[in-house]
Amino acid sequence: MKVLMTCDAVGGVWQYASDLAGALMGQGVEVVLVVLGPFDEARHPGLEPGSSVVPSDELGNEVPRSGRAWMPAQGRHDGIQLIRTNLPLDWLATGPDDVLNAGRAIAALAADHRVDLVHLNAPALAAGGPFPAPVVAVAHGCVGTWFAATDGSAPPAELAWHRQLMLAGLLAADAVIAPSASYAAAVQRHYDLPATPVTVHNGRALAMAPSGASADHVFTAGRLWDRAKNASLLDAVAARLPAPLRAAGPVTGPHGESIAPEHLHLVGTLDVDALAGEYAAGPIFVSAARFEPFGLAVLEAAQAGCPLILSDIDTFRELWTGAALFVGGDDPTAWVAAIERVRADPGLRAHLGEAARTRAARYTVEAMAAGTLAIYRALLAEPVRAAA
């Protein structure tokens, strides 16, 4: 089986795609990984495809059409063919034509590489078909559900095209996956889909053990500029804590979003090894997110045995009930009380850390790959629909 998979190098989808591609390779699947959007060499030093480039028929940009075998910096697997492109991400695009053209370019790449299946990590791209093979679309997040969860409102009128393309892509895909049942239900409701996306929980290929003594600080990680991550609340919490609240992640976003915390101890955007070091110290991990389709940072912290204190949202309840403390609302006092309760009780801290580690064992890359591969095989067992 040969699969073309899209991803981006901006957020968690990169980690998802690289972990999944590696696990699929171990099951005999040949993967062509197509990278969209901006690319930071400093953050991904293992990606050196050395590929030739040719003019793109679709966008007029230079788009790599072939690359040598690639091994990620983590060294977990090799043999993945990497194609880095200049194609825009749907959530960074300035209008629908950019996304439709990107979808057409990916369809052309799929035809060039004679793949058996196309795995799109941005469902809106499916609206740019037809594709020469069945399409699996994974809903990792979208503009519409972000606004609904973060602001309780619809996106502004100038972003209405996002909803139209997302709906068109979801309906065009042969199968739709979501990383949690909670987000699958949210997508089904928001777009009034005839069927709920299939849930395949994300997994993460980390296995870190904490050091001896637990660090006497609190830690969070994510896109701090993203209002859905609620860093402003954590900044207010940090002002009332006797221990530092360390925060990893960017404070400026691609559309000019920014946050200037006064009390969080900013540690910058960390690579995989640096994050592993943070988690290995066993800090109390907090996430006050209002919107989270899955939450890879929470999983990474849990794998390391960090005690978890999380916002009381459906996704976190689904994944971590019985393995975390939950805090509802945006009252800093409630968050400080929960953190101080864990800091003051070594037994509770140890219990939460072990519970988190045990629960994290459910969310493995192997389980993610098995669930995804079952969907691939079910689609390929069915007659391939004719291209329109």
Side-chain angles (χ1 to χ4, degrees):
M1 183 190 306
K2 187 175 184 179
V3 176
L4 182 148
M5 183 184 301
T6 66
C7 71
D8 66 73
V10 176
V13 174
W14 168 258
Q15 200 62 68
Y16 162 88
S18 57
D19 281 345
L20 177 59
L24 291 173
M25 291 288 290
Q27 295 295 316
V29 178
E30 184 179 354
V31 180
V32 179
L33 194 61
V34 178
V35 185
L36 288 75
F39 190 89
D40 185 348
E41 289 280 2
R43 292 183 61 194
H44 303 281
L47 306 185
E48 300 171 353
S51 58
S52 59
V53 293
V54 296
S56 165
D57 294 334
E58 298 294 339
L59 298 179
N61 295 321
E62 287 193 330
V63 177
R65 289 299 180 103
S66 63
R68 65 170 173 82
W70 158 66
M71 179 180 289
Q74 294 90 332
R76 286 190 302 274
H77 52 266
D78 59 11
I80 297 173
Q81 187 174 10
L82 177 72
I83 302 176
R84 279 168 46 186
T85 77
N86 295 320
L87 299 172
L89 300 174
D90 60 325
W91 58 281
L92 293 179
T94 57
D97 288 346
D98 288 346
V99 180
L100 292 170
N101 285 335
R104 296 182 188 114
I106 292 165
L109 284 171
D112 287 350
H113 288 269
R114 300 181 182 275
V115 300
D116 301 301
L117 188 139
V118 177
H119 177 128
L120 299 176
N121 282 309
L125 294 169
F131 286 81
V135 172
V136 173
V138 184
H140 295 281
C142 72
V143 170
T145 54
W146 183 96
F147 269 96
T150 304
D151 296 338
S153 64
E158 62 267 24
L159 296 179
W161 62 269
H162 276 275
R163 175 184 171 81
Q164 296 165 3
L165 282 192
M166 184 73 172
L167 176 59
L170 289 167
L171 295 175
D174 297 280
V176 179
I177 297 173
S180 65
S182 302
Y183 190 59
V187 170
Q188 195 279 331
R189 289 193 305 269
H190 190 82
Y191 293 99
D192 194 22
L193 299 178
T196 304
V198 179
T199 300
V200 178
H201 287 137
N202 283 352
R204 189 69 178 92
L206 291 179
M208 299 175 298
S211 58
S214 297
D216 188 24
H217 67 258
V218 185
F219 185 67
T220 192
R223 296 186 302 271
L224 302 178
W225 55 265
D226 183 347
R227 286 191 292 112
K229 303 301 182 185
N230 221 356
S232 59
L233 170 61
L234 293 182
D235 192 42
V237 171
R240 306 184 186 190
L241 286 177
L245 201 168
R246 293 167 61 83
V251 295
T252 59
H255 291 120
E257 308 94 335
S258 65
I259 184 172
E262 296 181 8
H263 307 287
L264 291 174
H265 184 81
L266 300 178
V267 297
T269 300
L270 305 181
D271 62 19
V272 172
D273 291 338
L275 273 174
E278 290 283 345
Y279 294 132
I284 297 169
F285 182 88
V286 298
S287 173
R290 297 188 181 102
F291 172 72
E292 196 66 86
F294 183 85
L296 281 175
V298 180
L299 175 55
E300 291 171 355
Q303 287 176 322
C306 299
L308 305 178
I309 301 179
L310 308 174
S311 53
D312 194 357
I313 59 175
D314 289 347
T315 303
F316 288 160
R317 282 284 182 181
E318 172 191 341
L319 300 174
W320 303 106
T321 290
L325 292 184
F326 297 95
V327 181
D330 288 345
D331 180 6
T333 301
W335 281 87
V336 171
I339 293 168
E340 287 298 273
R341 177 186 170 197
V342 176
R343 289 186 68 239
D345 188 338
L348 175 61
R349 181 171 184 151
H351 169 75
L352 287 172
E354 188 55 35
R357 190 202 308 279
T358 300
R359 180 63 54 81
R362 298 182 182 180
Y363 310 125
T364 65
V365 171
E366 292 75 19
M368 175 175 66
T372 305
L373 190 54
I375 294 169
Y376 289 177
R377 287 173 172 159
L379 282 180
L380 294 179
E382 299 172 356
V384 178
R385 61 182 180 178

